[in-house]
Amino acid sequence: MEAAAEPGNLAGIRHIILVLSGKGGVGKSTISTELALALRHAGKKVGILDVDLCGPSIPRMFGAQGRAVHQCDRGWAPVFLDREQSISLMSVGFLLEKPDEAVVWRGPKKNALIKQFVSDVAWGELDYLVVDTPPGTSDEHMATIEALRPYQPLGALVVTTPQAVSVGDVRRELTFCRKTGVRVMGVVENMSGFTCPHCTECTSVFSRGGGEELARLAGVPFLGKCSKLVLGSRPPIPSLPWVGLTSVPPGPEGEEGMGAVSLSRRTTATCGSSTRALLKALYGHGWFGCVRFWPAEPMLGAGGADTAPPPPLCPAGSVPLDPELTRSLEEGHDFIREFPGSPTFAALTSIARRILDATPTCLP
Amino acid sequence: MEEVPHDCPGADSAQAGRGASCQGCPNQRLCASGAGATPDPAIEEIKEKMKTVKHKILVLSGKGGVGKSTFSAHLAHGLAEDENTQIALLDIDICGPSIPKIMGLEGEQYVEDNLGVMSVGFLLSSPDDAVIWRGPKKNGMIKQFLRDVDWGEVDYLIVDTPPGTSDEHLSVVQYLAAARIDGAVIITTPQEVSLQDVRKEINFCRKVKLPIIGVVENMSGFICPKCKKESQIFPPTTGGAELMCQDLEVPLLGRVPLDPLIGKNCDKGQSFFIDAPDSPATLAYRSIIQRIQEFCDLRQSEEENLINS
């Protein structure tokens, strides 16, 4: 039996964030990777611990396949991406002799390795450790949470896609979090929609509505939705709540938020009281960036095409399907550095900003 | 440095508890005592039960979210269109049982007269119930599904699996070992992030001597409903499933494009074939299903020839 866990290896880590989902393939590794890159962009030192033993995606996403893991006097040395050691990684992917080798282990053996991963990696000083998990609510998850519990993780980001099938699994993950005492920091809806590069039509490829429903079920903020206040057009059906619309030109971080607030004060004069209340509630929740919305209920009898919500002018938050993002992850590039003008960048950095805001500033 | 752990030699192998990779395994003492050496009696019982099941197909993928459950459901729907064929769909994804939702079932187990479904999802009282089980308990449930469900006369048993290469996969292969599985259909998407996990799954199949019927590349291209032009949402940066299949000498059964109606129908629990009979995705599915049927028929006649010769 191991001696009382050495305070050493995790003691230098300020905050631990888990990225969870009951469902596979929703983008946990993608969100973990991009969150780490965005946090680094914000000047933080970040580590990623990949506890997906059967499908370790993290090494490839950073272009670090084939890197070797070495021992040091405090345990395993993580793989550093750069000289400044701003991002460090640990994954079973680094330990496999052949990348196509399957890790066909039953639960008890997986538990043993995860315990080692958590306690024996010499992370050093980190601002954030992002823990990427496999899908499900089983051995790996229980082992990870048990091993991390003494270090009081900040919480979990729960990732879903818009479909009901995803929500069906991810709501079980919320129950898992409740039962294991993990705080859910928020819900991210990935693969929110695809904007055709040929005609800019935005299609909901994987259905819609999942992120909001999940956030509602969990009673947590929906981190993945930013919308845009757009002034100008008259509401098609006056009796339904509708916000006057205008476009807010995208600007550097703080200015975007302020622009939307002052506009909202002007627009509330022309909108119904229910909309005013809605706006107040929104800003009370600290929504930042642009705000866009459309009637909550579909407008019956008004015809499908006419009542489709206007395409997002500056979609931020809900992470859209983006082949450039996929390509960057395949090739191990830093999407955050390479595509700062894209809506996907805005969505990912807004999630990172939310994490930074939610991080307590006074340390124990 | 600790050696990288190799695969568990197996609880019933001669090396059980004694191999280098057994170091540190909590079951080491148990295995070394020889407790795992006797075969599980359930295997014979399952073989008996499976005598009335003609063809057994596993739907696998190393990767999550590629469309295993969607594919399993539509394979079942497609095969069940022939009223004279009895189809059973077994969902062994214990933590994330999607099949009930995709088939539109809240508790009834028959979608059509000739299409029955079993899933742990039916045993959960609330949609929020989480199944937080460790490996051994999951294995027990799978054993129960295979041994204790009265399958009756079934032409095709389709088994939908969770992502990965772990307890559930080992168990279903072990428990069905004596009953002969026709083969596995492996689902992937075009990106390398999926393919790298799928290669592991193919190696898993080879290791446990599970025949591979072929690979299906899902989400292969998206046709914009407005302008009808094609885009690659998940670019095949390393050649997609086609190149992987060539390299590993595995048949590519087909490519299914992304059709937003698939997701919508799964959410509603309906068959996509009914909603979009002319979609390129429907046509792709039908061609793949036909190839699977041909594979199963061929195996059956090969076996019969073997018995008769």
Side-chain angles (χ1 to χ4, degrees), chain A residues 248-262:
Chain A
V248 178
E253 299 174 358
E255 288 165 47
E256 222 175 307
M258 277 166 52
V261 167
S262 60

Side-chain angles (χ1 to χ4, degrees), chain B residues 61-82:
Chain B
S61 177
K63 186 93 183 73
V66 295
K68 289 177 290 312
S69 297
T70 305
F71 182 82
S72 302
H74 286 88
L75 175 59
H77 277 304
L79 291 170
E81 279 172 7
D82 176 0

